[in-house]
Amino acid sequence: MRFKAFHAPDFLELASQRTVVLRCLAVICGLCCQFSLGFSQHLPPFSAKDQPAAPDYSQEKYWSALPFRKDAPDKTPYDEKWVSDSLKKVDVFYIYPTLFMNGKTWNADVDKKSLNRRIDHFPVKLQASIFNGVGRVYAPRYRQAIIDSYHDTTGSGQKALDFAYEDIKVAFEYYLANYNQGRPIIIASHSQGTTHSRRLLKDYFDNPEMKAKLVCAYAVGFALHQADYQILTPCDSATQTNCYVGWASFREGYRYEGELPYFGDVCVNPLSWTRDSVSVQAWPGILLNIKRKRAYQSSAQIMGKQLMVHTKMPLMRHRDVLHLVDFNLFWREIRRNAKDRVNAYFETH
């Protein structure tokens, strides 16, 4: 399949502070309830035959993002120019988080236009765009599990998550067979996306051949466990490759005594790219407007296996759980790091 090349225009205008706040509220309403226990959908027991029809990844419409096409993750910061996809040496396979909050089935309909618009406008635009400076971005639409799946106790929720992962596997296999052409790969994911990417890493990259193709996996916002992998390991420096990073962000000083699906045994500080407990400061944050010139100061320190953050980002500075902005708190630092790792990859391969 061939796509017409283009140069991404500057079509994200500078927004007023009022517009930024309103958009932020919209995102919070759509995403921050990811692990709320307040929902009860009263869904019937999971049955695969009752779920929406499967996507056909040979059709462009079942990809939220593809190279050489004007897509949501093509936005660039105000001080950067668009780099043609033809000049990028690596691919980015991005898996978005949960936006399917209510419905009559356990898994989302990939043909539902309103849901697809929210997916494209928020996580795909604000997270996958981080990597467009170095990679061609691929983002498959998939039948994500409804948010209730994470606190369901009947077994249907896990079946819905397993069902969603099967779409990711099919999409990734289609990508490998039709798009990759031997190029190195960055995996990027958040929340439910990381529920699936950690399995994708196990199924496809935990072997010498595919590990050698992995620049880095940015598997953010969900628990990662070293014991899940035989040869894949967490990254310990800013330029290490063939490894993975992940973190879950919380307000500095916050302590949660219970269990949350964010907590694993891997936490990498996205300001230092190490796993030590040294506190690091930076000014890399971007909340909603990628073109906005102002950067929000943040500092981050690993305590236990949590990333404790002090931030001046509006609407986030007083929140305890910063799951919504795991990526956007460190947008520029991650973008810079992706370039550093790609450079290091080609120096050693």
Side-chain angles (χ1 to χ4, degrees):
M1 187 176 297
R2 300 174 66 88
F3 305 105
K4 185 178 180 180
F6 81 104
H7 293 281
D10 288 342
F11 53 86
L12 183 62
E13 298 177 356
L14 291 175
S16 66
Q17 184 64 31
R18 178 175 178 272
T19 302
V20 170
V21 171
L22 290 174
R23 287 181 177 177
C24 187
L25 288 172
V27 177
I28 291 171
C29 290
L31 290 177
C32 265
C33 57
Q34 287 232 11
F35 294 103
S36 166
L37 300 183
F39 273 87
S40 179
Q41 296 296 324
H42 304 292
L43 292 170
F46 177 88
S47 172
K49 66 180 178 60
D50 294 333
Q51 306 314 307
D56 176 0
Y57 293 111
S58 69
Q59 298 185 43
E60 286 188 42
K61 70 176 183 177
Y62 292 115
W63 294 85
S64 173
L66 284 171
F68 306 109
R69 192 181 78 176
K70 188 172 78 172
D71 289 316
D74 295 333
K75 312 298 186 295
T76 57
Y78 73 92
D79 54 351
E80 292 186 28
K81 293 183 178 180
W82 172 253
V83 177
S84 171
D85 283 330
S86 63
L87 300 177
K88 297 167 185 173
K89 298 181 179 180
V90 306
D91 291 342
V92 178
F93 192 86
Y94 167 76
I95 312 172
Y96 50 76
T98 311
L99 270 79
F100 183 39
M101 301 300 170
N102 56 78
K104 297 180 179 179
T105 56
W106 281 94
N107 292 83
D109 184 350
V110 289
D111 288 308
K112 188 173 183 179
K113 293 181 180 180
S114 59
L115 178 59
N116 289 341
R117 281 194 296 269
R118 286 194 293 124
I119 289 168
D120 296 348
H121 187 66
F122 292 120
V124 179
K125 181 175 76 174
L126 299 175
Q127 295 179 350
S129 59
I130 292 173
F131 302 96
N132 67 27
V134 294
R136 301 177 183 180
V137 179
Y138 296 84
R141 301 198 187 282
Y142 69 100
R143 291 171 291 179
Q144 61 184 271
I146 199 167
I147 190 61
D148 279 8
S149 300
Y150 282 100
H151 52 86
D152 169 72
T153 59
T154 68
S156 286
Q158 185 58 54
K159 291 178 182 178
L161 289 164
D162 293 342
F163 188 81
Y165 176 62
E166 290 304 311
D167 279 0
I168 297 300
K169 285 182 65 175
V170 172
F172 190 69
E173 289 176 358
Y174 186 88
Y175 154 78
L176 286 177
N178 296 276
Y179 295 135
N180 177 253
Q181 298 179 334
R183 296 159 58 85
I185 301 170
I186 291 173
I187 299 293
S189 61
H190 185 240
S191 198
Q192 182 172 158
T194 297
T195 302
H196 305 313
S197 73
R198 65 181 189 173
R199 294 180 66 178
L200 194 76
L201 291 173
K202 175 63 177 176
D203 290 346
Y204 290 90
F205 291 92
D206 201 25
N207 62 76
E209 180 181 0
M210 286 295 286
K211 178 184 176 182
K213 286 171 61 75
L214 181 67
V215 177
C216 182
Y218 295 83
V220 178
F222 202 86
L224 298 173
H225 301 282
Q226 296 184 66
D228 288 345
Y229 308 106
Q230 293 185 350
I231 66 172
L232 276 180
T233 59
C235 304
D236 285 311
S237 73
T239 56
Q240 186 179 350
T241 60
N242 314 124
C243 54
Y244 62 93
V245 300
W247 60 88
S249 309
F250 300 86
R251 179 183 56 81
E252 183 180 47
Y254 174 68
R255 295 292 182 273
Y256 185 82
E257 301 299 332
E259 290 294 326
L260 284 175
Y262 313 113
F263 299 157
D265 59 18
V266 175
C267 184
V268 175
N269 190 327
L271 297 182
S272 65
W273 302 105
T274 63
R275 291 187 283 160
D276 59 38
S277 59
V278 176
S279 178
V280 184
Q281 281 194 338
W283 289 261
I286 294 177
L287 184 56
L288 285 174
N289 193 337
I290 295 170
K291 295 295 185 183
R292 186 178 176 85
K293 295 184 179 181
R294 180 180 177 184
Y296 301 109
Q297 180 181 2
S298 297
S299 63
Q301 182 176 13
I302 297 173
M303 299 190 68
K305 296 300 179 181
Q306 300 170 233
L307 187 70
M308 312 309 294
V309 180
H310 176 77
T311 181
K312 295 184 177 181
M313 184 178 284
L315 301 182
M316 293 294 115
R317 66 187 73 181
H318 300 303
R319 298 187 66 85
D320 290 329
V321 179
L322 301 176
H323 182 70
L324 167 66
V325 287
D326 279 322
F327 266 116
N328 294 93
L329 281 165
F330 314 106
W331 200 96
R332 281 187 177 269
E333 288 296 327
I334 302 169
R335 186 175 180 85
R336 181 161 40 246
N337 180 255
K339 292 181 180 179
D340 291 342
R341 290 191 198 271
V342 168
N343 290 336
Y345 181 92
F346 285 107
E347 287 176 1
T348 57
H349 290 76

